[in-house]
Amino acid sequence: MFTNKSILITGGTGSFGKQFTRTILERYDPKKVIIFSRDELKQFEMSQVFDQKCMRYFIGDVRDRDRLTMAMRDVDYVIHAAALKQVPVAEYNPMECIKTNVYGASIVIK
């Protein structure tokens, strides 16, 4: 299914994104795996573990339509895992949670 395909993973440096990347690389031979996240440190750390030639690391936020559109260019599959998931953080920062989890998901869909 993912062999010779380009895959974009939003929130790719999170726990799901890392495990999904591991699974894709172990089971398939993707043309490109793009990790899309806003955390440069986590991207750097992930690049030390997943340094295959097919890997790409793209700084961006799902709330930024133009940057996401650029990242999606020539992509076959989008795995949307970007979200604010920690309840205390969401309770203290409700608008940021809505911007990422609702508006960001809407941008991914469009």
Side-chain angles (χ1 to χ4, degrees), residues 24-108:
I24 289 293
L25 295 175
E26 288 174 356
R27 296 184 185 175
Y28 303 95
D29 184 22
K31 179 176 12 177
K32 191 179 344 179
V33 177
I34 304 165
I35 303 301
F36 185 85
S37 77
R38 58 187 180 180
D39 192 325
E40 66 177 308
L41 177 60
K42 286 184 181 178
Q43 283 197 9
F44 172 76
E45 291 169 348
M46 194 170 170
S47 73
Q48 302 304 294
V49 176
F50 302 106
D51 62 350
Q52 289 84 339
K53 189 176 179 180
C54 66
M55 296 298 298
R56 305 288 187 278
Y57 294 90
F58 208 109
I59 296 290
D61 192 314
V62 293
R63 300 183 288 183
D64 183 341
R65 181 185 315 267
D66 293 337
R67 187 71 171 158
L68 187 58
T69 298
M70 183 185 300
M72 286 184 174
R73 191 172 298 141
D74 298 322
V75 166
D76 298 300
Y77 293 98
V78 175
I79 308 302
H80 179 48
L84 295 177
K85 301 172 186 89
Q86 302 299 315
V87 173
V89 172
E91 288 176 337
Y92 192 72
N93 303 280
M95 288 311 299
E96 293 305 307
C97 184
I98 289 168
K99 287 177 190 175
T100 298
N101 296 3
V102 178
Y103 300 146
S106 176
I107 291 169
V108 171

Side-chain angles (χ1 to χ4, degrees), residues 13-25:
T13 58
S15 57
F16 175 84
K18 287 189 277 190
Q19 185 56 50
F20 187 78
T21 299
R22 183 179 315 283
T23 300
I24 289 293
L25 295 175

